[in-house]
Amino acid sequence: MSHYTIGVDIGTTGTKTVLFDVDHGIVATASRETALYSTGPGIAEADTEQWHRNVVESIREVVTAAGADAGEVGAIATSGMVPAVVPIDKSGKPLRRGILQNDARAHRQVDRLAESVAAVDLVSLTGSALTQQSVAPTIVWLRENEPDVHARTTHWVGSYDWVLAALGAQVHVEQNWALESGLFTIAGATAEPVLAAADIDPATLAPVCRPGTRVGELSTAAAELTGLRAGTALVVGGADHVLSAYAAGVNQPGDALVKLGGAGDILAASNTGVVDERLYLDAHPVPGQWLPNGCMATSGSLIRWFQALVGGVELTALDAEAAGRAPAEVMCLPYFLGEKSPIHDPDLRGVFAGLHLGHTRADMYRSVLEAIAFGFRHHIDVFADIGLPLRRVMITNGGSKSTLWKQIHADILGLEMLPVRGHPGASLGAAVIAAIGIGALDDWSDVSRFITLDAPYVPDPAHKSIYDAAYATWRDLGDAVAPISHAIARAPR
């Protein structure tokens, strides 16, 4: 039996790869940065060739670092953001840079398609409303603005699906890419009203596969590049936020995960497929379970933007400065790429409010940290509305390294936050699923053996009362500024 598997996560800001020992857990990790291309308002793209290069290099690194026998690697599974869009030709070659899930260029197409399908209950049909994240408006945008790319496209696939295909897998899309794309029904059939309204050829939609499905073998060419054995199994992984939740222990109703990646995700486990136009609905990797969730357009990406704006100061230094500032003195609306859930408005814009000449970059930075947490609280309100109260909340990803930010989340959400120790995110979930896919692990619950939770961050009563009042003001600010944001966003059109 194979002793190792590999999990790869194609993230918004980087690629992370783990070598997983089926008896002892992760034995090596490697990461590579990914460049974000934002050449205009709402545009968010990544270079597919950089994804491929990052995967090849990081696979070589983890195997070498662990001193592992490449012949003992039994399977590879991939994960990534959803629903990124990669148009590929008949040979599987990408025809342009990948369009990321937080791209908001297709605002006009969203409006037009919404009118065309106004009589259709898309939330009940597909699990989510037509928004900037939906793939159909992006395809229409490409047809209208890059007709050559559109004409040559054989299939529309996601980031991690394309990477697996580039390693030798058959062309496919994973279940949650299909679900969040809005091109398929909750049951997995094509969403005919959407395809008809957008004039999308059903033949360009790749087959849908569940996590854990074996979809091919590592090609000879990919084996030479990675140093692995040709014929190594390629297994469908899943959406990054879904696999992060799975690998963080979000596996019982009432469990939830706050994921502080480039975007901001919050997922809650449910035994039923609850649909609500303010949220997205994903399938849990465990068959029969669901993950209603929200995804904010910015989180870590907004932090990095602010960091660059103030000259690249180390985040630890910014944290130290901000820790000494009063809570909620300055307010930030984090809509610098529009907003996805629960507002679904690509024409919102970022705002700092309440500034005076005594404020410093520390106050503004703290307001950015608070803004993301306010956004998560907005989602928790929605979960409560639909009957999903949260009882146990984990927190993961790069932003969770910040002690200050974890405490801010506890104070604003009014919930204990449980950090997942050393959590590598979706790459661990992918590696576990790869092992399940080849029978090296027996059950989906085996993931619990590889999860360790640190001591919780407990709400500070003094700060919580301040933030309760500030949250109401933050919601009012968003409502008040929205018309102005719309006017600014739409003026150039």
Side-chain angles (χ1 to χ4, degrees), residues 117-137:
V117 296
V120 180
D121 184 353
L122 290 181
V123 175
S124 296
L125 181 68
T126 68
S128 59
L130 187 73
T131 70
Q132 71 180 62
Q133 179 166 289
S134 304
V135 171

Side-chain angles (χ1 to χ4, degrees), residues 164-189:
L164 207 62
L167 295 176
Q170 67 190 46
V171 174
H172 66 283
V173 291
E174 184 266 329
Q175 181 182 16
N176 280 315
W177 187 96
L179 193 56
E180 291 213 19
S181 73
L183 301 175
F184 296 83
T185 68
I186 295 174

Side-chain angles (χ1 to χ4, degrees), residues 60-108:
R60 279 191 170 275
E61 182 177 336
V62 294
V63 173
T64 300
D69 181 346
E72 288 191 281
V73 177
I76 302 169
T78 57
S79 177
M81 57 283 204
V82 289
V85 179
V86 182
I88 59 173
D89 64 18
K90 60 184 178 181
S91 68
K93 180 181 178 181
L95 294 168
R96 69 178 320 282
R97 287 198 292 249
I99 298 175
L100 302 183
Q101 78 288 350
N102 53 359
D103 188 278
R105 76 186 69 196
H107 48 84
R108 293 176 181 172

Side-chain angles (χ1 to χ4, degrees), residues 277-403:
E277 64 182 0
R278 294 167 291 181
L279 300 174
Y280 304 106
L281 178 65
D282 285 299
H284 197 286
V286 178
Q289 294 194 41
W290 297 89
L291 283 167
N293 66 87
C295 179
M296 300 185 297
T298 63
S299 177
S301 56
L302 179 55
I303 301 296
R304 293 296 183 184
W305 171 82
F306 186 84
Q307 180 187 29
L309 198 67
V310 296
V313 181
E314 289 292 333
L315 293 180
T316 51
L318 289 173
D319 270 9
E321 293 178 8
R325 310 304 291 182
E329 275 210 358
V330 175
M331 288 205 168
C332 171
L333 296 178
Y335 310 135
F336 289 71
L337 279 173
E339 186 56 296
K340 295 167 70 175
S341 66
I343 302 172
H344 300 298
D345 189 344
D347 285 339
L348 292 180
R349 293 294 180 263
V351 171
F352 288 97
L355 287 162
H356 58 66
L357 292 180
H359 285 134
T360 68
R361 70 184 184 191
D363 297 286
M364 296 181 71
Y365 178 67
R366 184 176 184 115
S367 76
V368 168
L369 300 180
E370 293 167 341
I372 304 302
F374 283 140
F376 284 123
R377 179 161 173 173
H378 194 175
H379 284 87
I380 289 174
D381 286 351
V382 175
F383 287 138
D385 286 347
I386 62 176
L388 282 177
L390 305 186
R391 63 177 182 83
R392 191 175 72 128
V393 183
M394 278 66 75
I395 187 166
T396 64
N397 278 57
S400 67
K401 296 175 183 176
S402 166
T403 297

Side-chain angles (χ1 to χ4, degrees), residues 28-32 55-67 226:
T29 66
S31 60
R32 297 288 187 280
V55 170
V56 167
E57 291 177 356
S58 59
I59 287 176
R60 279 191 170 275
E61 182 177 336
V62 294
V63 173
T64 300
T226 60

Side-chain angles (χ1 to χ4, degrees), residues 152-240:
R152 294 165 57 201
T153 298
T154 301
H155 287 105
W156 311 98
V157 298
S159 58
Y160 54 105
D161 303 318
W162 174 76
V163 166
L164 207 62
L167 295 176
Q170 67 190 46
V171 174
H172 66 283
V173 291
E174 184 266 329
Q175 181 182 16
N176 280 315
W177 187 96
L179 193 56
E180 291 213 19
S181 73
L183 301 175
F184 296 83
T185 68
I186 295 174
T190 54
E192 297 300 334
V194 176
L195 300 191
D199 192 22
I200 296 172
D201 182 356
T204 61
L205 303 186
V208 179
C209 296
R210 276 195 51 80
T213 304
R214 187 166 175 164
V215 286
E217 299 179 342
L218 193 68
S219 68
T220 300
E224 291 177 356
L225 291 171
T226 60
L228 298 180
R229 172 182 54 83
T232 300
L234 300 176
V235 175
V236 175
D240 57 358

